[in-house]
Amino acid sequence: MDKYTHISFYKFVAIEEPELLKAQMQGMAENLDLMGTMIIAGEGINGMLAGHDTDIQDFIIEFQKDPRFSNISFKVARSQTQPFKKLLIKIKEEILTFNEKSVKPHVRTGNYLKPLELKKWLESKKEVVLLDTRNNFEVEQGTFKGALNPGISKFTEFKKAVGEKLMPLKEKTIVTFCTGGIRCEKATAYMLEKGFKDVWQVEGGILKYLEDTDGSFWEGQCFVFDNRISVDKELNEISSKNKKS
């Protein structure tokens, strides 16, 4: 049996006292012997933690008692070994670096689109622009059929891509996506700031789409930011010997 449970989570929400939240999270995680990383900022929280299953469950229960996080969603994976070596909780200016102070995703972002609804849209050939907000390396591993690649090497370059490539699409219906949802959510906040009219984000990102659907319209692998490295459309880990060079 797998010995450890790994959770990843984020939420854009106003955090008025980051230092206080950090102390609370530090105490909870240490008491439960959890390892991993957490970033806390005025715009929200972003974390990856791992520990024994019952300890992770206890953390989730306590964490969701805070009204700000009562509806937060967790992505769950399991492994035979502890994927992290220590616990590190940081306070930063942003939980996802974008370097654009006018963008406030905890105030306004694009509409959420559930994975099954996206599949229906694609099956019906609804006129939408699928926009991949990940970097070139990730896009090369796999993406949705016909998706637009803005051609960025890191997320902070997305602003430049909007200005140079995406402005002609301001009146289109745009569906953004990324691995787990955090980048596409912040991307929609920026696009709304720039006057885009009809912007959506895939709720839970690619991983939730592959979990909730049969993977239709997805092509290739999905790079993930944990010890699995990448997964196929059935969310099976792809071992290094099976990965494309």
Side-chain angles (χ1 to χ4, degrees), residues 31-45:
N31 287 340
L32 294 167
D33 199 26
L34 305 183
M35 303 291 183
T37 61
M38 217 181 295
I39 299 172
I40 298 169
E43 67 176 10
I45 189 168

Side-chain angles (χ1 to χ4, degrees), residues 45-69:
I45 189 168
N46 183 18
M48 293 189 296
L49 295 172
H52 293 293
D53 186 63
T54 54
D55 294 327
I56 288 289
Q57 291 305 316
D58 287 345
F59 173 83
I60 290 173
I61 290 169
E62 288 301 311
F63 187 53
Q64 291 186 318
K65 286 180 180 178
D66 187 322
R68 295 172 296 185
F69 310 125

Side-chain angles (χ1 to χ4, degrees), residues 14-226:
I15 306 293
E16 294 182 358
E17 299 180 273
E19 289 284 357
L20 177 59
L21 182 60
K22 176 184 176 181
Q24 293 170 342
M25 294 297 101
Q26 190 90 35
M28 286 170 56
E30 287 179 352
N31 287 340
L32 294 167
D33 199 26
L34 305 183
M35 303 291 183
T37 61
M38 217 181 295
I39 299 172
I40 298 169
E43 67 176 10
I45 189 168
N46 183 18
M48 293 189 296
L49 295 172
H52 293 293
D53 186 63
T54 54
D55 294 327
I56 288 289
Q57 291 305 316
D58 287 345
F59 173 83
I60 290 173
I61 290 169
E62 288 301 311
F63 187 53
Q64 291 186 318
K65 286 180 180 178
D66 187 322
R68 295 172 296 185
F69 310 125
S70 60
N71 63 347
I72 201 167
S73 61
F74 297 87
K75 294 176 181 64
V76 180
R78 290 181 171 81
S79 63
Q80 298 260 339
T81 58
Q82 169 61 267
F84 302 109
K85 294 182 179 179
K86 60 183 178 180
L87 175 67
L88 183 61
I89 302 178
K90 296 181 178 180
I91 293 177
K92 293 188 174 183
E93 288 294 317
E94 302 174 87
I95 61 171
L96 175 64
T97 302
F98 196 57
N99 297 327
E100 184 63 53
K101 290 185 177 180
S102 67
V103 176
K104 301 185 185 303
H106 57 290
V107 176
R108 181 176 72 149
T109 61
N111 298 311
Y112 289 105
L113 184 64
K114 291 191 177 299
L116 284 171
E117 190 64 21
L118 172 60
K119 185 175 179 243
K120 289 178 184 177
W121 282 17
L122 297 177
E123 288 173 338
S124 67
K125 295 184 166 61
K126 181 178 173 71
E127 189 175 337
V128 301
V129 176
L130 277 172
L131 177 61
D132 200 328
T133 62
R134 303 171 302 153
N135 63 49
N136 286 323
F137 171 79
E138 295 169 271
V139 176
E140 288 169 3
Q141 307 299 306
T143 191
F144 282 103
K145 183 178 181 181
L148 177 61
N149 175 16
I152 60 178
S153 61
K154 55 186 178 181
F155 186 59
T156 52
E157 295 176 1
F158 184 76
K159 294 172 289 187
K160 184 178 179 181
V162 169
E164 294 182 353
K165 302 177 183 179
L166 303 181
M167 294 306 283
L169 304 174
K170 283 175 72 170
E171 305 298 324
K172 301 283 188 182
T173 297
I174 298 177
V175 178
T176 67
F177 64 92
C178 61
T179 307
I182 189 169
R183 283 176 286 181
C184 56
E185 184 157 356
K186 202 159 196 178
T188 64
Y190 181 71
M191 294 173 78
L192 289 171
E193 282 274 316
K194 293 301 178 182
F196 285 74
K197 307 299 184 186
D198 190 19
V199 185
W200 299 73
Q201 55 186 300
V202 179
E203 188 172 4
I206 298 162
L207 295 179
K208 188 64 175 169
Y209 181 88
L210 297 179
E211 179 183 334
D212 288 358
T213 75
D214 60 2
S216 298
F217 305 102
W218 177 261
E219 298 179 331
Q221 307 167 8
C222 178
F223 180 85
V224 291
F225 295 89
D226 59 36

